[in-house]
Amino acid sequence: MDNRQAIGSWLSGPRAAAEEMGVDFGHPGQRLGLPQQGPGSAARFGRRLGAVLLDWVGCQVIAYGLITGGNLGATGNWTLGLFVALSILTVGTVGFTPGKRIVGLRVIAEGGGRLGIGRVVLRTALLALVIPALIWDRDGRGLHDRLARAVQVRI
C-alpha cells in the first residue's frame, strides 16, 4: 500500500482515508439514536446556517428600523442583544426560533424533549460568541449544542 493512501491526501483528509480502509463512521446522529433521514434526523449545516441568517437579518431589520432609528453604528450591538433575547425566549418555550421554524428545525435535548432554561441560556451565550458554533463533531452538532446537551433536528 502506498503511504500517501494510508495518510490521506491534503484534499481528501484523514476521514476519507479511514473510510477507504473500511472504517464506518455511520450517519450524522447515529450515536444519538437519530434516524438517517426525515423528521427527527440531525440537522445539516446548510439548514442550520439558513436559520441563523434568517434570525440575524430579522433582528438586524428590527434594530435598524425600530430601535436605533437608522443609526447604523448602534445597530450591531442591538442586533446581537435582540438575537440573544429571541433565542432564549423562543427556544426556551417552543423549541425553535422563527428562522429555525421556516427551515424546518427544532432544538431538543439529547434524550428527547425540551431543553431547560439553564441549558437554553448556556447554548445561546455560546452561540453569541460565534466560535463554539463553528466547531462541530461528526454528528453535525456545534460545540454550543454539545455543551448544552442539545441537538438540532428536522421537523
Side-chain angles (χ1 to χ4, degrees):
M1 176 185 344
D2 188 5
N3 284 339
R4 289 178 295 171
Q5 186 180 17
I7 296 171
S9 77
W10 65 276
L11 289 174
S12 64
R15 180 179 176 133
E19 287 175 342
E20 277 184 21
M21 291 189 291
V23 176
D24 181 22
F25 290 106
H27 64 271
Q30 183 175 1
R31 295 183 304 163
L32 302 169
L34 302 176
Q36 185 171 1
Q37 298 175 354
S41 64
R44 302 286 194 251
F45 178 74
R47 283 183 186 239
R48 292 191 329 252
L49 180 63
V52 169
L53 289 176
L54 286 170
D55 290 332
W56 186 263
V57 168
C59 291
Q60 197 165 31
V61 167
I62 292 169
Y64 181 78
L66 298 178
I67 297 175
T68 66
N71 180 357
L72 195 57
T75 301
N77 292 334
W78 280 104
T79 301
L80 181 61
L82 285 172
F83 182 80
V84 167
L86 174 77
S87 295
I88 290 172
L89 291 174
T90 58
V91 172
T93 55
V94 293
F96 49 79
T97 63
K100 286 185 190 336
R101 181 67 180 129
I102 290 169
V103 300
L105 299 180
R106 177 182 296 267
V107 179
I108 62 171
E110 280 181 349
R114 290 185 22 208
L115 290 178
I117 191 67
R119 288 166 51 182
V120 170
V121 170
L122 172 65
R123 181 185 180 279
T124 303
L126 292 170
L127 181 61
L129 293 174
V130 179
I131 299 299
L134 296 176
I135 302 168
W136 61 84
D137 62 8
R138 71 178 189 211
D139 290 318
R141 293 190 309 162
L143 188 57
H144 65 298
D145 280 332
R146 283 189 60 111
L147 293 175
R149 296 187 330 267
V151 62
Q152 293 185 56
V153 296
R154 291 177 57 194
I155 51 175

